[in-house]
Amino acid sequence: MTINSSEQQDGVNKSARSSYSNLPALDVSLAFPQATPATSKFPPCASDYYINFDGLLTSEEQAIRKKVRECAEKELAPIVAEGYGCPGLSITGAAVALAEIARVDALTEPDYGSDASALRTTATKVEGGWILEGQKRWVGNSTFADLLVILARNTTTKQINAFIVKKHAPGLTATKIENKIGLRIVQNGDVLLKNVFVPDEDRVPGFKSFQDTITTLSISRLMVAWQSIGIAMGVYDMCHRYLMERKQFGAPLAVFQITQQKLVQMLGNIQAMILAGWRVCKLYEDGKMTAGHASLAKAWITSRARETVALGRELLGGNGISTDFHVAKAFCDLESIHTYEGSYEINNLIAAREITGFASFKPAVSTQQSRL
């Protein structure tokens, strides 16, 4: 029997540890053969239970949905965890396209988020254009976009206007925001504007006041609502397949009462979300959508989506925190979506202002004098 020296033993142990710890991760289908991961094959759509959503769409909108779904399932789903346009479409067509992408997949300042009307970025008129000064935060894809649309307060009229700022404009700096847990497919940035000159022709003519901003935000909120619908649909589809494949106690998880109850609750939420989203799209196309309509849709739909995704995370157990099964990514994304384009609370207050006639955004200032 030969005893290695301490030096020899360390060498052997280091080699063993190196080969052990540096092995590549097992393929998910091998490591967990009972359930098919989203990255290998996205599940078929099982979340359209009794609506027959295609029946609510025009033939053009149906074609858009089919085309985007095929592309998203084939091209986007395998890579989205690592993580454009719809020209000439109806609002419903754009919405269903966004939902299909979400199924597999500005304005804020450091001091002013919900209180958007109080933004501090300024635009001062000079000969031939404008000088912008200020800072923006959470601007999507601002670090590489060719053009930025910046909202700023006109120092003469005190109204909010919009300006197009080109990528390499002197005085413009865009820095990536790190450490995001959700919506990692979007690279948000901090934007700093120091004495940035914008020529007259790059002022957006349609923005003359904060009311024009509200109109734009209403459309954005409707689209965010559809993004939430798509995410919830994808989570349901994944959970439905998972529960049919994954076995415990000698039977698929789908046979147990608690899992069935959660699955049905998720499905019911999605049916209501789709109908609410579709109805608001039609109100917009008929010229009848109000800011309250859009805000209520955004607040209520994202809240139901958040509940749906949380149930899905529970149903997948430990796999609910793995991006291999899509739900963990969706869970984090919904946390972001629930807050952006107006938080849940602010959107509720916008709808409440419309139905009561009273605005309650800012605290009431007492007019009574102190007895002291």
Side-chain angles (χ1 to χ4, degrees):
M1 179 177 179
T2 304
I3 300 177
N4 292 327
S5 68
S6 174
E7 185 176 343
Q8 289 173 322
Q9 288 177 356
D10 285 345
V12 171
N13 289 339
K14 286 180 181 177
S15 176
R17 285 197 299 269
S18 177
S19 62
Y20 175 82
S21 61
N22 292 330
L23 289 174
L26 282 177
D27 184 88
V28 179
S29 60
L30 296 176
F32 198 78
Q34 278 193 350
T36 308
T39 49
S40 63
K41 183 179 182 182
F42 205 83
C45 183
S47 45
D48 187 358
Y49 183 55
Y50 58 65
I51 293 176
N52 182 24
F53 189 38
D54 274 347
L56 301 177
L57 305 177
T58 66
S59 57
E60 181 186 16
E61 292 162 354
Q62 290 176 27
I64 293 165
R65 189 186 191 203
K66 183 175 183 292
K67 182 178 181 179
V68 175
R69 172 172 291 178
E70 291 173 351
C71 178
E73 289 183 350
K74 181 180 178 182
E75 305 293 342
L76 192 57
I79 62 170
V80 73
E82 303 171 12
Y84 276 7
C86 296
L89 302 183
S90 66
I91 192 78
T92 307
V96 296
L98 182 62
E100 290 300 328
I101 292 173
R103 178 172 165 263
V104 304
D105 176 76
L107 175 68
T108 304
E109 297 184 355
D111 293 330
Y112 295 96
S114 296
D115 190 7
S117 63
L119 62 81
R120 288 184 176 178
T121 301
T122 60
T124 303
K125 188 72 181 75
V126 295
E127 185 178 354
W130 302 79
I131 295 294
L132 301 190
E133 293 275 354
Q135 188 173 354
K136 300 292 181 180
R137 185 161 175 79
W138 299 111
V139 183
N141 298 329
S142 56
T143 54
F144 59 85
D146 292 325
L147 301 173
L148 299 179
V149 178
I150 299 293
L151 300 186
R153 189 174 302 281
N154 187 317
T155 56
T156 302
T157 66
K158 308 304 180 185
Q159 296 295 330
I160 293 176
N161 300 155
F163 301 86
I164 297 172
V165 180
K166 295 181 173 63
K167 183 176 183 179
H168 298 297
L172 173 69
T173 305
T175 308
K176 178 183 177 182
I177 296 176
E178 301 286 356
N179 305 321
K180 287 171 50 182
I181 67 161
L183 291 179
R184 292 170 64 86
I185 198 172
V186 178
Q187 187 179 114
N188 296 90
D190 285 310
V191 174
L192 186 63
L193 302 115
K194 289 187 175 181
N195 198 37
V196 176
F197 176 78
V198 177
D200 282 326
E201 59 266 26
D202 286 342
R203 176 185 169 184
V204 181
F207 275 81
K208 298 179 180 178
S209 69
F210 188 65
Q211 188 59 45
D212 297 313
T213 307
I214 291 174
T215 302
T216 302
L217 286 174
S218 294
I219 299 171
S220 298
R221 285 165 180 157
L222 177 55
M223 302 310 287
V224 168
W226 274 97
Q227 192 175 17
S228 304
I229 291 170
I231 289 174
M233 290 172 65
V235 168
Y236 176 86
D237 294 340
M238 179 55 62
C239 290
H240 182 270
R241 182 174 72 184
Y242 183 92
L243 296 178
M244 300 295 286
E245 295 178 342
R246 171 75 165 141
K247 294 180 181 179
Q248 290 289 280
F249 306 103
L253 289 176
V255 309
F256 297 102
Q257 291 180 352
I258 293 178
T259 55
Q260 288 189 357
Q261 183 273 328
K262 290 181 179 180
L263 201 62
V264 170
Q265 186 175 348
M266 294 167 67
L267 185 60
N269 281 349
I270 292 168
Q271 308 314 294
M273 290 157 59
I274 291 174
L275 286 174
W278 174 81
R279 179 58 186 147
V280 179
C281 280
K282 293 305 171 187
L283 286 172
Y284 176 85
E285 290 174 357
D286 292 339
K288 298 177 181 178
M289 187 189 81
T290 65
H293 288 149
S295 287
L296 178 59
K298 195 274 177 179
W300 185 82
I301 288 174
T302 56
S303 179
R304 294 285 72 76
R306 196 184 190 201
E307 176 186 79
T308 301
V309 172
L311 288 168
R313 203 225 63 76
E314 294 174 12
L315 285 173
L316 265 62
N319 284 318
I321 63 170
S322 168
T323 57
D324 292 319
F325 292 90
H326 177 70
V327 177
K329 176 187 177 298
F331 188 89
C332 290
D333 286 349
L334 248 301
E335 288 303 297
S336 302
I337 291 170
H338 192 61
T339 301
Y340 80 9
E341 293 294 345
S343 67
Y344 174 78
E345 292 80 9
I346 288 295
N347 276 301
N348 273 321
L349 293 181
I350 292 171
R353 176 182 60 187
E354 196 166 279
I355 64 178
T356 66
F358 297 104
S360 59
F361 297 95
K362 299 180 180 180
V365 178
S366 175
T367 57
Q368 295 181 350
Q369 292 184 348
S370 171
R371 288 180 293 177
L372 299 176

